Structure formats: C-alpha cells, structure tokens
Amino acid sequence: MTLNIEPLTAESFAPFGEVIQTESAHSFLINNGTTERFHALAAVELLEENSDVTRENHCRAIISIFRAEARHFPFSVSMLEKHPLGSQAFIPLSGEPYLVVVATGMDSPGQLRAFIATATQGVNYRAGVWHHPLLALHKTCDFLVVDRQGSGVNCIEDDLDPPYLLIYP
Ligand SMILES: NC(=O)N[C@@H](O)C(=O)O
Ligand code: NI
C-alpha cells in the first residue's frame, strides 16, 4: 500500500507529538529585547521503567547529532519503532526537507501516516509513538536529537508485513 505524503502541520501531527517551528508559536522578547524566545515548543518526556531507580542511575535527557544518509525512493517502510520511556525530538540542521512516518496505536502500529517536513520544522515524537527512523532526502543531513538515556527497554521495533511504499517526489 502506498502512503500519501501530507504537509506537516501542528494540527495534523498533534496525535503523535509536536512540530518544533516558529510559525504561529507563542513567543516573547528576552535579553533586553534583542532576542525573541519561542517558548516551550515541545516537552521532553522522561519515564522510568521501575520506581526503584536510584538517583545515580535515573534517566536523563541527552542531546545528540544524527548524520542521516539520504534514502532512495520508492522506499519500503517495513518496520516502525517506539520509545515507551521517553520522547524523541529531531531538528534539521542541514537546510533540507525530510520525511516523517508515524502510526497510531499503542501495542502495535495502527494507521500509518506520512508527512513531509520543511527544513525549518522539527518534530517531537511523544513517548510511545510509533515512527520510522530518520528519512533524509536529497543528501546526507544532520539532525539535532533530544531523547532519553537511561535504563530499561526504550526501543521496541515492529515489522510491517506487508510493507508500505513511500514514493517521492
Ligand atoms: N535508534 C536511534 O537512536 N534512533 C531512532 O530512534 C530514530 O528514530 O531515528
Ligand atoms: Ni526513534
């Protein structure tokens, strides 16, 4: 089944998380009016698998850079993954659009949806949201990633049989 690629908007992505963008975002001036703060565009979710985690090894939010090779199309979406213990945010750094594939459902993926994100739109997958790993376009692209480091199983994969097809452009 071929996935229809929709433009990414805050409203269309709301069931899966937040779109990190300045467009129509709440902002206020800081630093004596020299900086506009687009405030709390998304929240980092951090969960513990069990409550007896000590202070030393409790989970924490980390910031990484993912350098993603461009995918080749048509592309077969044959798996999705989810992170039940934490959110995961991707902010594009290379000035290129990219594709986002997510699915409804908790225990297993339900309805899949595909979006095209502009070079100035980031996404924050809420904890437990099914998504496909990065789908970079045109060239190798860097993404700033904010997600969870900690104990417990925080990456669950599910194979899609039959796979879905992404046709681009
Ligand atoms: N595995 C990993 O760190 N990255 C994935 O979670 C991803 O969504 O790209
Ligand atoms: Ni992920």
Side-chain angles (χ1 to χ4, degrees), residues 17 22 24 38 41 48 57 59 62 88 99 107 113:
T22 58
S24 67
F38 295 88
L41 299 175
E48 293 291 0
N57 64 7
C59 63
I62 56 170
Q88 188 174 48
L99 295 182
D107 298 334
R113 291 182 66 186

Side-chain angles (χ1 to χ4, degrees), residues 4 9 11 13 20 25 30 39-40 46 57 61 85 90 93 96 98 102 104 108 113 122 132 158-159 163 169:
N4 173 49
T9 66
E11 297 72 23
F13 195 70
I20 300 169
I30 57 173
H39 185 65
L46 299 172
N57 64 7
L85 301 177
F90 293 89
L93 301 176
E96 290 287 339
Y98 59 104
V102 289
T104 59
S108 60
R113 291 182 66 186
H132 191 278
D158 193 290
D159 292 332

Side-chain angles (χ1 to χ4, degrees), residues 10 53 61 68 77-78 89 94 137 168:
V53 167
V77 178
S78 59
S94 297
L137 302 171
Y168 177 84

Side-chain angles (χ1 to χ4, degrees), residues 66 81 83 88 90 125 131-134 145 147 154-155 157:
F66 286 19
E81 61 173 38
H83 310 301
Q88 188 174 48
F90 293 89
Y125 302 126
H131 59 280
H132 191 278
L134 272 173
V145 180
D147 59 5
N154 193 33
C155 188
E157 295 187 356

Side-chain angles (χ1 to χ4, degrees), residues 6-21 41-42 88-90 98-104 113-117 121-126 129-132:
E6 310 167 53
L8 182 67
T9 66
E11 297 72 23
S12 61
F13 195 70
F16 310 104
E18 296 80 21
V19 176
I20 300 169
Q21 61 185 354
L41 299 175
Q88 188 174 48
F90 293 89
Y98 59 104
L99 295 182
V100 171
V101 174
V102 289
T104 59
R113 291 182 66 186
F115 299 94
I116 183 158
Q121 291 180 310
V123 289
N124 183 52
Y125 302 126
R126 262 187 233 108
V129 167
W130 290 101
H131 59 280
H132 191 278

